[in-house]
Amino acid sequence: IALNLVGASGLVTTILGGAGVVGIALGFAIRDTLENYIASILLSVRQPFRAGDHVVINDTHEGKVARLTSRATILVTLDGNHLRIPNADVFKGTILNYTTNPTRRFRFQLGVDSADDPVDAIARGTARLAEFPFVLKDPEPRANIADVGDSSIVIDYFAWIDQTDTDFRKSRSLAIQAVKNVLETHGFSLPEPIYRLKVEGMEMPQGAATVKEVTPPVTPDVEPEDMDVTPDNGSDDTAAREAAGEGNLLNDAAATE
């Protein structure tokens, strides 16, 4: 107002224009910082996860939650590495929390020969899965025909476990081995790629070696009492140490979303 009174209207325009440019520049410079800070407040209020939860964020980042700071969410990957994700990406992204519901279903596929009975393979495979102590009885294991190929029938097997005392990857690996062995023991053929070569105008010389079909040995089955399916707590310990540090906005006493 004083500059206008003395007739320095041009200087007024210059000052206001410069202030506007500076304001825009500062706005862009601190936009990410403010966005992450506001997201940290909303995440701490909504609590979509707690420290130690096993999560997958945006379908790409997987690990155990260590801390929520004013700028980033810190995960400990299953390999024990620290992963910092901006809070704005976490708040706006997709969060898959494996810890909220401890029961989890694993799935795997096995193929049998097209000449075999798939219904019998389903019955024997699900019966073998039900024998494992770590497989839940409710819901019970099940299977269905997933696909019929040129020389094989693909079967999907499903079973549920409780992740609080059972490791997902260990149990699934042992289940695949056990069902594969029980199918081979009862005469089911797991198909292999078959190639047919047609050679015209060529005779097989006498005394030439012929191809002999060799049946692969059946791997001994795994006894349930010999299996170790306890969870691997390496990343859990690291995440717990991180969560105990200062600046963690996650509160176990707060309600989760």
Side-chain angles (χ1 to χ4, degrees):
I1 294 173
L3 290 174
N4 275 326
L5 291 177
V6 298
S9 58
L11 182 58
V12 172
T13 304
T14 303
I15 292 175
L16 294 179
V21 171
V22 172
I24 293 173
L26 289 175
F28 278 108
I30 65 174
R31 183 191 63 178
D32 291 341
T33 302
L34 289 176
E35 190 176 16
N36 288 323
Y37 181 73
I38 295 172
S40 70
I41 297 175
L42 295 175
L43 287 172
S44 63
V45 172
R46 297 174 61 180
Q47 294 271 340
F49 44 69
R50 296 189 186 277
D53 283 2
H54 181 186
V55 299
V56 179
I57 298 176
N58 291 329
D59 299 327
T60 54
H61 306 304
E62 181 176 4
K64 302 294 181 68
V65 178
R67 282 192 299 165
L68 172 65
T69 67
S70 60
R71 183 180 181 277
T73 299
I74 302 174
L75 302 184
V76 176
T77 67
L78 302 182
D79 297 328
N81 300 315
H82 283 67
L83 178 64
R84 302 175 66 90
I85 308 173
N87 286 330
D89 294 341
V90 177
F91 182 75
K92 295 184 294 185
T94 303
I95 302 174
L96 174 61
N97 193 330
Y98 288 122
T99 306
T100 302
N101 184 11
T103 57
R104 184 178 176 185
R105 187 184 74 172
F106 64 74
R107 165 183 177 267
F108 61 89
Q109 291 185 334
L110 289 176
V112 297
D113 192 87
S114 57
D116 293 332
D117 183 4
V119 177
D120 190 22
I122 290 174
R124 295 188 183 277
T126 52
R128 182 66 184 94
L129 288 173
E131 294 176 1
F132 287 102
F134 56 79
V135 172
L136 300 181
K137 302 300 184 288
D138 184 22
E140 61 182 5
R142 67 179 184 86
N144 55 263
I145 298 175
D147 192 17
V148 178
D150 295 335
S151 59
S152 65
I153 300 175
V154 181
I155 300 176
D156 266 332
Y157 291 94
F158 305 90
W160 289 81
I161 62 169
D162 187 345
Q163 294 185 103
T164 55
D165 54 10
T166 303
D167 186 86
F168 178 82
R169 289 169 178 80
K170 290 180 182 178
S171 58
R172 181 177 181 273
S173 177
L174 291 171
I176 294 173
Q177 180 184 355
V179 174
K180 173 181 176 293
N181 290 341
V182 78
L183 292 180
E184 291 178 336
T185 302
H186 289 85
F188 290 91
S189 300
L190 273 65
E192 299 178 355
I194 299 175
Y195 301 94
R196 289 188 173 89
L197 301 179
K198 183 178 181 181
V199 182
E200 297 181 353
M202 182 177 178
E203 296 182 0
M204 182 72 70
Q206 290 188 355
T210 57
V211 179
K212 183 179 180 181
E213 184 176 352
V214 179
T215 303
V218 178
T219 307
D221 200 359
V222 182
E223 295 298 330
E225 57 270 15
D226 297 333
M227 297 178 299
D228 177 21
V229 293
T230 55
D232 184 2
N233 61 357
S235 56
D236 290 343
D237 295 340
T238 305
R241 288 194 298 269
E242 286 291 330
E246 297 181 358
N248 190 2
L249 300 179
L250 295 175
N251 182 9
D252 290 342
T256 58
E257 184 181 52

